[in-house]
Amino acid sequence: GSLHGLVAVVVGALLSLARAECFPDELIESAKVWAADSVESMWLLIAGGKIWTNLVPRVRPGCLKICSDHFDFAYDALVYQDAVVSPFMKRLKVKRSLLATAIGWMSNATTALERHWQPVNRSRYVRGPLHFMTERLLVLMAIRNLITPSDPTVVDHIIVHQLMEALRRRQDLFLARGSERVSNLFTMEDSVPHDDVFRLFPPVQGPARQDHIMDFLGVTSHEGYACVGTITLMPGRALECLTRDVGVRQPPIMDEEYYEWTDVLRSVAAAAERSHRYGGSTGFSFVEVGSLSEAVWAIRAAVAFHRLAPPGAPCRLLVVDPVNFRNTSVLRAQLAKNLPRGRCRVDVATDWVGQSPSTPLVQILRRPPDAAALVWDLVDVDAQGAEREVVRHELPELARSVRTLHLSTHGRAGHIEIVQQLRRAGWGVPVEYPPSSVKRVGGDYVVSLDGHITAYAPWTRATDGELWRSMLI
């Protein structure tokens, strides 16, 4: 990606800095050379017009000289941008003076390209460089927004993707980290202690079965499902895939799923504590809305409850997705790999949620037999934007049916609206961070693609949230 980016900047230099000596067809011919030949092309340009003339016979020497003379302008813009982004991605710090200079250089380079857009506006060789230069400017603007006290959470989606890619490559710290403190592969620090709930779940060690990965709870997943596509953009999951043959496991690293982990494990621990108190007569109930075929969070929750609860304590799962559960073979295989047969009751729903028309989520929660009066311990919703409509229209009913909500959010405006509605309705919201953000939460920075919200129903905050702590004694 960075190599193609450099090529695009070079093409941008050719097109943006050309004068009347360069006709549109000459610019396009020059751009074709840069698009076809990457590293060598850059050095040929620096070497001067003679070699380049042999490569691009249809371009006159005068045009080549102009491109060569002004190459430094675009190149310096790229260097300034890299001088800001690289240290920022490592330490969340950057000199404001350097940031201002980089924004100025990149803005000028982008403006120059836009000024010369019209003569060759039909060429795909122009659209790419303009898009790239604009993206580089947006990244710099995102960093400026991040370090501005007036709104420190607003970060462009582009830079969050870059940060995630940087995180997933730093697996050396993953292997070296301990179990007492949270490793943050973004800041390269482990300054914050793990949430106390992780003390209840010592990591399961040893190699995973062939062609599988294993998380610290011991949950096994086939690498064909767990290590493909956008799933591995989550640094924690990516590192599980990259180190699957090592057999050394620790609690999760600090990525956007860390607080989803804590919500699941806290709900499990509270349910297990109640079950022990009442002789195993009470159990645990969990709903995953917007689930993948392997129902990763539902399986994790069930395995965690099985580890803590009295033998035979009731366990109930409900997984909801309109597409992924048309065939439940993957789900059944995951259950068989990770839990004793029949350990948890599992219901499946293929309804759409939060759309018009669709079944209200509360009705889906009450649909399984004997679930009409059930209060679910945790409802985990990742519904690709539909969470906004669920909160808008179903919050009073959810407050009577749910102890804890974990919501993934997919738009900044929707995230803000949901947090405001939850708090107005009396829900406790101890943790929230918006989509495409880098936000300080609990003493550490969280880099997040999706937003996340932890919410406790009004009636549970004072009596239920910390019950599990008695199990630490």
Side-chain angles (χ1 to χ4, degrees), residues 289 352-362 381-398 405 407-411 413-415 417-419 421-422 453:
V289 180
W352 294 93
V353 171
Q355 300 184 17
S356 181
S358 64
T359 307
L361 177 57
V362 173
V381 180
D382 186 357
Q384 304 305 310
E387 66 277 352
R388 190 176 190 176
E389 293 302 310
V390 170
V391 171
R392 278 179 175 175
H393 302 296
E394 302 187 50
L395 204 52
E397 292 82 2
L398 287 173
L405 275 174
L407 301 172
S408 297
T409 60
H410 302 83
H415 180 96
E417 177 186 326
I418 289 171
V419 171
Q421 290 197 32
L422 287 166
I453 299 170

mmCIF file of all heavy atoms in Angstrom, residues 289 352-362 381-398 405 407-411 413-415 417-419 421-422 453:
data_model
loop_
_atom_site.group_PDB
_atom_site.id
_atom_site.type_symbol
_atom_site.label_atom_id
_atom_site.label_comp_id
_atom_site.label_asym_id
_atom_site.label_seq_id
_atom_site.Cartn_x
_atom_site.Cartn_y
_atom_site.Cartn_z
ATOM 1 N N VAL A 289 -26.498 -10.412 18.854
ATOM 2 C CA VAL A 289 -27.277 -9.899 17.726
ATOM 3 C C VAL A 289 -26.297 -9.384 16.672
ATOM 4 O O VAL A 289 -25.453 -8.531 16.958
ATOM 5 C CB VAL A 289 -28.228 -8.770 18.161
ATOM 6 C CG1 VAL A 289 -29.025 -8.248 16.961
ATOM 7 C CG2 VAL A 289 -29.158 -9.245 19.264
ATOM 8 N N TRP A 352 -34.283 -9.854 10.830
ATOM 9 C CA TRP A 352 -33.618 -8.569 10.739
ATOM 10 C C TRP A 352 -33.982 -7.767 11.977
ATOM 11 O O TRP A 352 -35.074 -7.914 12.538
ATOM 12 C CB TRP A 352 -34.054 -7.810 9.495
ATOM 13 C CG TRP A 352 -33.625 -8.459 8.209
ATOM 14 C CD1 TRP A 352 -34.340 -9.340 7.458
ATOM 15 C CD2 TRP A 352 -32.367 -8.284 7.548
ATOM 16 N NE1 TRP A 352 -33.617 -9.734 6.357
ATOM 17 C CE2 TRP A 352 -32.390 -9.103 6.385
ATOM 18 C CE3 TRP A 352 -31.236 -7.526 7.816
ATOM 19 C CZ2 TRP A 352 -31.323 -9.171 5.507
ATOM 20 C CZ3 TRP A 352 -30.170 -7.590 6.940
ATOM 21 C CH2 TRP A 352 -30.222 -8.406 5.802
ATOM 22 N N VAL A 353 -33.084 -6.893 12.404
ATOM 23 C CA VAL A 353 -33.291 -6.105 13.615
ATOM 24 C C VAL A 353 -33.069 -4.637 13.290
ATOM 25 O O VAL A 353 -32.147 -4.281 12.548
ATOM 26 C CB VAL A 353 -32.319 -6.558 14.736
ATOM 27 C CG1 VAL A 353 -32.372 -5.592 15.915
ATOM 28 C CG2 VAL A 353 -32.646 -7.965 15.189
ATOM 29 N N GLY A 354 -33.944 -3.779 13.841
ATOM 30 C CA GLY A 354 -33.738 -2.348 13.721
ATOM 31 C C GLY A 354 -33.986 -1.779 12.347
ATOM 32 O O GLY A 354 -33.498 -0.692 12.032
ATOM 33 N N GLN A 355 -34.717 -2.499 11.512
ATOM 34 C CA GLN A 355 -35.052 -2.006 10.183
ATOM 35 C C GLN A 355 -36.566 -2.029 10.008
ATOM 36 O O GLN A 355 -37.284 -2.626 10.792
ATOM 37 C CB GLN A 355 -34.382 -2.863 9.107
ATOM 38 C CG GLN A 355 -32.866 -2.881 9.210
ATOM 39 C CD GLN A 355 -32.221 -3.646 8.074
ATOM 40 O OE1 GLN A 355 -32.837 -3.902 7.047
ATOM 41 N NE2 GLN A 355 -30.959 -4.013 8.251
ATOM 42 N N SER A 356 -37.010 -1.353 8.969
ATOM 43 C CA SER A 356 -38.441 -1.294 8.708
ATOM 44 C C SER A 356 -38.754 -1.969 7.373
ATOM 45 O O SER A 356 -38.216 -1.572 6.339
ATOM 46 C CB SER A 356 -38.918 0.168 8.672
ATOM 47 O OG SER A 356 -40.306 0.236 8.453
ATOM 48 N N PRO A 357 -39.586 -3.009 7.358
ATOM 49 C CA PRO A 357 -40.170 -3.637 8.559
ATOM 50 C C PRO A 357 -39.238 -4.705 9.119
ATOM 51 O O PRO A 357 -38.505 -5.347 8.377
ATOM 52 C CB PRO A 357 -41.436 -4.269 7.988
ATOM 53 C CG PRO A 357 -41.070 -4.639 6.581
ATOM 54 C CD PRO A 357 -40.112 -3.585 6.103
ATOM 55 N N SER A 358 -39.244 -4.887 10.417
ATOM 56 C CA SER A 358 -38.495 -5.966 11.048
ATOM 57 C C SER A 358 -39.120 -6.250 12.407
ATOM 58 O O SER A 358 -39.884 -5.444 12.944
ATOM 59 C CB SER A 358 -37.017 -5.607 11.195
ATOM 60 O OG SER A 358 -36.859 -4.503 12.056
ATOM 61 N N THR A 359 -38.793 -7.379 12.955
ATOM 62 C CA THR A 359 -39.318 -7.772 14.252
ATOM 63 C C THR A 359 -38.609 -6.987 15.348
ATOM 64 O O THR A 359 -37.377 -6.912 15.355
ATOM 65 C CB THR A 359 -39.097 -9.279 14.486
ATOM 66 O OG1 THR A 359 -39.623 -10.006 13.388
ATOM 67 C CG2 THR A 359 -39.760 -9.727 15.775
ATOM 68 N N PRO A 360 -39.324 -6.382 16.281
ATOM 69 C CA PRO A 360 -38.658 -5.699 17.386
ATOM 70 C C PRO A 360 -37.737 -6.652 18.145
ATOM 71 O O PRO A 360 -38.057 -7.826 18.339
ATOM 72 C CB PRO A 360 -39.818 -5.219 18.264
ATOM 73 C CG PRO A 360 -40.978 -5.106 17.320
ATOM 74 C CD PRO A 360 -40.792 -6.218 16.334
ATOM 75 N N LEU A 361 -36.601 -6.155 18.561
ATOM 76 C CA LEU A 361 -35.651 -6.998 19.270
ATOM 77 C C LEU A 361 -36.260 -7.587 20.536
ATOM 78 O O LEU A 361 -36.017 -8.761 20.864
ATOM 79 C CB LEU A 361 -34.397 -6.185 19.624
ATOM 80 C CG LEU A 361 -33.326 -6.906 20.446
ATOM 81 C CD1 LEU A 361 -32.847 -8.169 19.746
ATOM 82 C CD2 LEU A 361 -32.154 -5.967 20.743
ATOM 83 N N VAL A 362 -37.059 -6.812 21.236
ATOM 84 C CA VAL A 362 -37.658 -7.314 22.474
ATOM 85 C C VAL A 362 -38.524 -8.533 22.186
ATOM 86 O O VAL A 362 -38.544 -9.494 22.969
ATOM 87 C CB VAL A 362 -38.465 -6.206 23.171
ATOM 88 C CG1 VAL A 362 -39.235 -6.773 24.360
ATOM 89 C CG2 VAL A 362 -37.544 -5.090 23.622
ATOM 90 N N VAL A 381 -24.964 -6.359 20.836
ATOM 91 C CA VAL A 381 -25.547 -5.985 19.545
ATOM 92 C C VAL A 381 -24.482 -5.394 18.631
ATOM 93 O O VAL A 381 -23.824 -4.412 18.986
ATOM 94 C CB VAL A 381 -26.696 -4.967 19.718
ATOM 95 C CG1 VAL A 381 -27.299 -4.596 18.363
ATOM 96 C CG2 VAL A 381 -27.765 -5.517 20.653
ATOM 97 N N ASP A 382 -24.301 -6.016 17.471
ATOM 98 C CA ASP A 382 -23.424 -5.480 16.421
ATOM 99 C C ASP A 382 -24.207 -5.581 15.116
ATOM 100 O O ASP A 382 -24.027 -6.495 14.321
ATOM 101 C CB ASP A 382 -22.129 -6.276 16.350
ATOM 102 C CG ASP A 382 -21.115 -5.672 15.381
ATOM 103 O OD1 ASP A 382 -21.458 -4.662 14.732
ATOM 104 O OD2 ASP A 382 -20.005 -6.213 15.265
ATOM 105 N N ALA A 383 -25.095 -4.610 14.908
ATOM 106 C CA ALA A 383 -26.101 -4.706 13.856
ATOM 107 C C ALA A 383 -25.866 -3.729 12.711
ATOM 108 O O ALA A 383 -26.806 -3.362 11.997
ATOM 109 C CB ALA A 383 -27.499 -4.499 14.442
ATOM 110 N N GLN A 384 -24.612 -3.280 12.534
ATOM 111 C CA GLN A 384 -24.228 -2.472 11.372
ATOM 112 C C GLN A 384 -25.108 -1.239 11.173
ATOM 113 O O GLN A 384 -25.544 -0.928 10.073
ATOM 114 C CB GLN A 384 -24.245 -3.338 10.121
ATOM 115 C CG GLN A 384 -23.374 -4.571 10.205
ATOM 116 C CD GLN A 384 -21.923 -4.246 10.568
ATOM 117 O OE1 GLN A 384 -21.318 -3.369 9.948
ATOM 118 N NE2 GLN A 384 -21.384 -4.939 11.553
ATOM 119 N N GLY A 385 -25.364 -0.525 12.265
ATOM 120 C CA GLY A 385 -26.133 0.711 12.202
ATOM 121 C C GLY A 385 -27.552 0.592 12.700
ATOM 122 O O GLY A 385 -28.172 1.597 13.070
ATOM 123 N N ALA A 386 -28.109 -0.617 12.716
ATOM 124 C CA ALA A 386 -29.488 -0.803 13.167
ATOM 125 C C ALA A 386 -29.640 -0.572 14.661
ATOM 126 O O ALA A 386 -30.759 -0.417 15.162
ATOM 127 C CB ALA A 386 -29.972 -2.214 12.800
ATOM 128 N N GLU A 387 -28.531 -0.549 15.400
ATOM 129 C CA GLU A 387 -28.602 -0.329 16.849
ATOM 130 C C GLU A 387 -29.267 1.010 17.186
ATOM 131 O O GLU A 387 -29.916 1.159 18.223
ATOM 132 C CB GLU A 387 -27.200 -0.397 17.467
ATOM 133 C CG GLU A 387 -26.247 0.691 17.056
ATOM 134 C CD GLU A 387 -25.548 0.440 15.724
ATOM 135 O OE1 GLU A 387 -25.697 -0.675 15.165
ATOM 136 O OE2 GLU A 387 -24.863 1.353 15.226
ATOM 137 N N ARG A 388 -29.142 1.969 16.272
ATOM 138 C CA ARG A 388 -29.731 3.296 16.527
ATOM 139 C C ARG A 388 -31.250 3.216 16.610
ATOM 140 O O ARG A 388 -31.868 3.790 17.518
ATOM 141 C CB ARG A 388 -29.289 4.242 15.417
ATOM 142 C CG ARG A 388 -29.606 5.708 15.652
ATOM 143 C CD ARG A 388 -29.006 6.538 14.513
ATOM 144 N NE ARG A 388 -29.057 7.960 14.770
ATOM 145 C CZ ARG A 388 -28.529 8.876 13.965
ATOM 146 N NH1 ARG A 388 -27.901 8.486 12.857
ATOM 147 N NH2 ARG A 388 -28.600 10.164 14.268
ATOM 148 N N GLU A 389 -31.858 2.485 15.688
ATOM 149 C CA GLU A 389 -33.313 2.351 15.698
ATOM 150 C C GLU A 389 -33.780 1.510 16.885
ATOM 151 O O GLU A 389 -34.845 1.767 17.452
ATOM 152 C CB GLU A 389 -33.785 1.722 14.385
ATOM 153 C CG GLU A 389 -33.577 2.603 13.170
ATOM 154 C CD GLU A 389 -34.290 3.950 13.302
ATOM 155 O OE1 GLU A 389 -35.505 3.947 13.645
ATOM 156 O OE2 GLU A 389 -33.637 4.994 13.075
ATOM 157 N N VAL A 390 -33.007 0.514 17.256
ATOM 158 C CA VAL A 390 -33.371 -0.298 18.420
ATOM 159 C C VAL A 390 -33.449 0.576 19.666
ATOM 160 O O VAL A 390 -34.417 0.515 20.438
ATOM 161 C CB VAL A 390 -32.358 -1.442 18.619
ATOM 162 C CG1 VAL A 390 -32.584 -2.134 19.966
ATOM 163 C CG2 VAL A 390 -32.463 -2.456 17.487
ATOM 164 N N VAL A 391 -32.445 1.412 19.878
ATOM 165 C CA VAL A 391 -32.439 2.269 21.065
ATOM 166 C C VAL A 391 -33.535 3.327 20.977
ATOM 167 O O VAL A 391 -34.171 3.660 21.981
ATOM 168 C CB VAL A 391 -31.053 2.913 21.238
ATOM 169 C CG1 VAL A 391 -31.072 3.979 22.328
ATOM 170 C CG2 VAL A 391 -30.016 1.843 21.562
ATOM 171 N N ARG A 392 -33.764 3.855 19.802
ATOM 172 C CA ARG A 392 -34.803 4.871 19.646
ATOM 173 C C ARG A 392 -36.177 4.367 20.054
ATOM 174 O O ARG A 392 -36.959 5.089 20.690
ATOM 175 C CB ARG A 392 -34.856 5.341 18.192
ATOM 176 C CG ARG A 392 -33.840 6.381 17.800
ATOM 177 C CD ARG A 392 -33.984 6.731 16.323
ATOM 178 N NE ARG A 392 -33.086 7.814 15.929
ATOM 179 C CZ ARG A 392 -32.947 8.246 14.685
ATOM 180 N NH1 ARG A 392 -33.646 7.675 13.700
ATOM 181 N NH2 ARG A 392 -32.125 9.240 14.410
ATOM 182 N N HIS A 393 -36.499 3.127 19.693
ATOM 183 C CA HIS A 393 -37.879 2.654 19.814
ATOM 184 C C HIS A 393 -38.102 1.581 20.879
ATOM 185 O O HIS A 393 -39.254 1.295 21.210
ATOM 186 C CB HIS A 393 -38.342 2.103 18.457
ATOM 187 C CG HIS A 393 -38.269 3.097 17.339
ATOM 188 N ND1 HIS A 393 -39.041 4.251 17.305
ATOM 189 C CD2 HIS A 393 -37.494 3.139 16.216
ATOM 190 C CE1 HIS A 393 -38.753 4.950 16.211
ATOM 191 N NE2 HIS A 393 -37.820 4.301 15.534
ATOM 192 N N GLU A 394 -37.031 0.992 21.420
ATOM 193 C CA GLU A 394 -37.244 -0.155 22.301
ATOM 194 C C GLU A 394 -36.581 -0.031 23.662
ATOM 195 O O GLU A 394 -36.563 -0.995 24.438
ATOM 196 C CB GLU A 394 -36.730 -1.434 21.619
ATOM 197 C CG GLU A 394 -37.385 -1.734 20.284
ATOM 198 C CD GLU A 394 -36.968 -3.098 19.748
ATOM 199 O OE1 GLU A 394 -37.046 -4.081 20.519
ATOM 200 O OE2 GLU A 394 -36.562 -3.176 18.582
ATOM 201 N N LEU A 395 -36.060 1.127 23.990
ATOM 202 C CA LEU A 395 -35.294 1.249 25.221
ATOM 203 C C LEU A 395 -36.109 0.939 26.478
ATOM 204 O O LEU A 395 -35.610 0.227 27.368
ATOM 205 C CB LEU A 395 -34.676 2.645 25.305
ATOM 206 C CG LEU A 395 -33.432 2.793 26.179
ATOM 207 C CD1 LEU A 395 -32.366 1.766 25.814
ATOM 208 C CD2 LEU A 395 -32.874 4.207 26.040
ATOM 209 N N PRO A 396 -37.349 1.428 26.618
ATOM 210 C CA PRO A 396 -38.107 1.086 27.844
ATOM 211 C C PRO A 396 -38.317 -0.415 28.009
ATOM 212 O O PRO A 396 -38.180 -0.947 29.123
ATOM 213 C CB PRO A 396 -39.443 1.823 27.639
ATOM 214 C CG PRO A 396 -39.118 2.947 26.711
ATOM 215 C CD PRO A 396 -38.085 2.392 25.771
ATOM 216 N N GLU A 397 -38.637 -1.119 26.921
ATOM 217 C CA GLU A 397 -38.847 -2.565 27.024
ATOM 218 C C GLU A 397 -37.528 -3.283 27.317
ATOM 219 O O GLU A 397 -37.489 -4.253 28.079
ATOM 220 C CB GLU A 397 -39.463 -3.105 25.736
ATOM 221 C CG GLU A 397 -40.893 -2.651 25.484
ATOM 222 C CD GLU A 397 -40.974 -1.261 24.864
ATOM 223 O OE1 GLU A 397 -39.895 -0.661 24.596
ATOM 224 O OE2 GLU A 397 -42.092 -0.764 24.678
ATOM 225 N N LEU A 398 -36.427 -2.818 26.701
ATOM 226 C CA LEU A 398 -35.129 -3.434 26.961
ATOM 227 C C LEU A 398 -34.722 -3.276 28.417
ATOM 228 O O LEU A 398 -34.101 -4.172 29.004
ATOM 229 C CB LEU A 398 -34.061 -2.821 26.060
ATOM 230 C CG LEU A 398 -34.105 -3.221 24.579
ATOM 231 C CD1 LEU A 398 -33.096 -2.401 23.782
ATOM 232 C CD2 LEU A 398 -33.818 -4.706 24.402
ATOM 233 N N LEU A 405 -26.255 -4.028 28.351
ATOM 234 C CA LEU A 405 -26.174 -3.927 26.896
ATOM 235 C C LEU A 405 -24.734 -3.626 26.507
ATOM 236 O O LEU A 405 -24.078 -2.772 27.118
ATOM 237 C CB LEU A 405 -27.052 -2.785 26.375
ATOM 238 C CG LEU A 405 -28.531 -3.019 26.113
ATOM 239 C CD1 LEU A 405 -29.190 -1.689 25.737
ATOM 240 C CD2 LEU A 405 -28.734 -4.034 25.006
ATOM 241 N N LEU A 407 -23.199 -2.369 22.965
ATOM 242 C CA LEU A 407 -23.592 -1.934 21.627
ATOM 243 C C LEU A 407 -22.360 -1.553 20.826
ATOM 244 O O LEU A 407 -21.536 -0.746 21.278
ATOM 245 C CB LEU A 407 -24.530 -0.730 21.707
ATOM 246 C CG LEU A 407 -25.842 -0.919 22.471
ATOM 247 C CD1 LEU A 407 -26.564 0.420 22.627
ATOM 248 C CD2 LEU A 407 -26.739 -1.914 21.756
ATOM 249 N N SER A 408 -22.215 -2.126 19.650
ATOM 250 C CA SER A 408 -21.244 -1.632 18.676
ATOM 251 C C SER A 408 -21.954 -0.603 17.815
ATOM 252 O O SER A 408 -23.076 -0.842 17.354
ATOM 253 C CB SER A 408 -20.711 -2.781 17.807
ATOM 254 O OG SER A 408 -20.020 -3.726 18.583
ATOM 255 N N THR A 409 -21.315 0.540 17.591
ATOM 256 C CA THR A 409 -21.940 1.611 16.819
ATOM 257 C C THR A 409 -21.150 1.853 15.541
ATOM 258 O O THR A 409 -19.959 1.545 15.457
ATOM 259 C CB THR A 409 -22.022 2.900 17.641
ATOM 260 O OG1 THR A 409 -20.704 3.319 18.025
ATOM 261 C CG2 THR A 409 -22.861 2.680 18.889
ATOM 262 N N HIS A 410 -21.831 2.446 14.535
ATOM 263 C CA HIS A 410 -21.249 2.499 13.197
ATOM 264 C C HIS A 410 -21.385 3.872 12.543
ATOM 265 O O HIS A 410 -21.311 3.990 11.327
ATOM 266 C CB HIS A 410 -21.898 1.417 12.328
ATOM 267 C CG HIS A 410 -21.736 0.041 12.900
ATOM 268 N ND1 HIS A 410 -22.576 -0.458 13.876
ATOM 269 C CD2 HIS A 410 -20.811 -0.919 12.661
ATOM 270 C CE1 HIS A 410 -22.190 -1.690 14.200
ATOM 271 N NE2 HIS A 410 -21.130 -1.978 13.483
ATOM 272 N N GLY A 411 -21.570 4.882 13.338
ATOM 273 C CA GLY A 411 -21.616 6.255 12.846
ATOM 274 C C GLY A 411 -21.515 7.191 14.030
ATOM 275 O O GLY A 411 -22.092 6.930 15.094
ATOM 276 N N ALA A 413 -22.678 10.275 14.585
ATOM 277 C CA ALA A 413 -23.927 10.905 15.020
ATOM 278 C C ALA A 413 -24.810 9.907 15.759
ATOM 279 O O ALA A 413 -25.403 10.219 16.800
ATOM 280 C CB ALA A 413 -24.670 11.489 13.811
ATOM 281 N N GLY A 414 -24.897 8.688 15.227
ATOM 282 C CA GLY A 414 -25.690 7.660 15.890
ATOM 283 C C GLY A 414 -25.128 7.308 17.259
ATOM 284 O O GLY A 414 -25.883 7.083 18.217
ATOM 285 N N HIS A 415 -23.823 7.241 17.365
ATOM 286 C CA HIS A 415 -23.191 6.929 18.649
ATOM 287 C C HIS A 415 -23.557 7.978 19.700
ATOM 288 O O HIS A 415 -23.969 7.635 20.822
ATOM 289 C CB HIS A 415 -21.670 6.854 18.468
ATOM 290 C CG HIS A 415 -20.929 6.548 19.728
ATOM 291 N ND1 HIS A 415 -20.542 5.278 20.069
ATOM 292 C CD2 HIS A 415 -20.509 7.356 20.745
ATOM 293 C CE1 HIS A 415 -19.916 5.303 21.229
ATOM 294 N NE2 HIS A 415 -19.881 6.561 21.652
ATOM 295 N N GLU A 417 -26.065 10.044 19.721
ATOM 296 C CA GLU A 417 -27.494 9.979 20.030
ATOM 297 C C GLU A 417 -27.800 8.833 20.986
ATOM 298 O O GLU A 417 -28.566 8.982 21.947
ATOM 299 C CB GLU A 417 -28.298 9.807 18.741
ATOM 300 C CG GLU A 417 -29.793 9.661 18.979
ATOM 301 C CD GLU A 417 -30.557 9.338 17.706
ATOM 302 O OE1 GLU A 417 -30.149 9.827 16.628
ATOM 303 O OE2 GLU A 417 -31.553 8.590 17.799
ATOM 304 N N ILE A 418 -27.198 7.670 20.750
ATOM 305 C CA ILE A 418 -27.467 6.504 21.598
ATOM 306 C C ILE A 418 -27.001 6.761 23.022
ATOM 307 O O ILE A 418 -27.713 6.473 23.995
ATOM 308 C CB ILE A 418 -26.786 5.257 21.011
ATOM 309 C CG1 ILE A 418 -27.503 4.825 19.731
ATOM 310 C CG2 ILE A 418 -26.769 4.110 22.018
ATOM 311 C CD1 ILE A 418 -26.769 3.736 18.954
ATOM 312 N N VAL A 419 -25.796 7.306 23.185
ATOM 313 C CA VAL A 419 -25.290 7.594 24.529
ATOM 314 C C VAL A 419 -26.215 8.568 25.248
ATOM 315 O O VAL A 419 -26.552 8.388 26.439
ATOM 316 C CB VAL A 419 -23.857 8.143 24.457
ATOM 317 C CG1 VAL A 419 -23.397 8.646 25.818
ATOM 318 C CG2 VAL A 419 -22.899 7.065 23.948
ATOM 319 N N GLN A 421 -29.432 9.118 24.717
ATOM 320 C CA GLN A 421 -30.716 8.495 25.048
ATOM 321 C C GLN A 421 -30.580 7.539 26.217
ATOM 322 O O GLN A 421 -31.451 7.481 27.099
ATOM 323 C CB GLN A 421 -31.267 7.764 23.821
ATOM 324 C CG GLN A 421 -31.738 8.686 22.709
ATOM 325 C CD GLN A 421 -32.636 7.977 21.711
ATOM 326 O OE1 GLN A 421 -33.378 7.065 22.061
ATOM 327 N NE2 GLN A 421 -32.567 8.393 20.460
ATOM 328 N N LEU A 422 -29.516 6.762 26.247
ATOM 329 C CA LEU A 422 -29.311 5.840 27.361
ATOM 330 C C LEU A 422 -29.208 6.598 28.679
ATOM 331 O O LEU A 422 -29.853 6.230 29.678
ATOM 332 C CB LEU A 422 -28.052 5.013 27.126
ATOM 333 C CG LEU A 422 -28.127 3.927 26.053
ATOM 334 C CD1 LEU A 422 -26.727 3.428 25.697
ATOM 335 C CD2 LEU A 422 -29.002 2.757 26.516
ATOM 336 N N ILE A 453 -20.265 0.796 23.293
ATOM 337 C CA ILE A 453 -20.965 1.373 24.440
ATOM 338 C C ILE A 453 -21.293 0.250 25.418
ATOM 339 O O ILE A 453 -21.867 -0.778 25.030
ATOM 340 C CB ILE A 453 -22.273 2.067 24.020
ATOM 341 C CG1 ILE A 453 -21.992 3.217 23.046
ATOM 342 C CG2 ILE A 453 -23.030 2.575 25.243
ATOM 343 C CD1 ILE A 453 -23.250 3.797 22.407
#
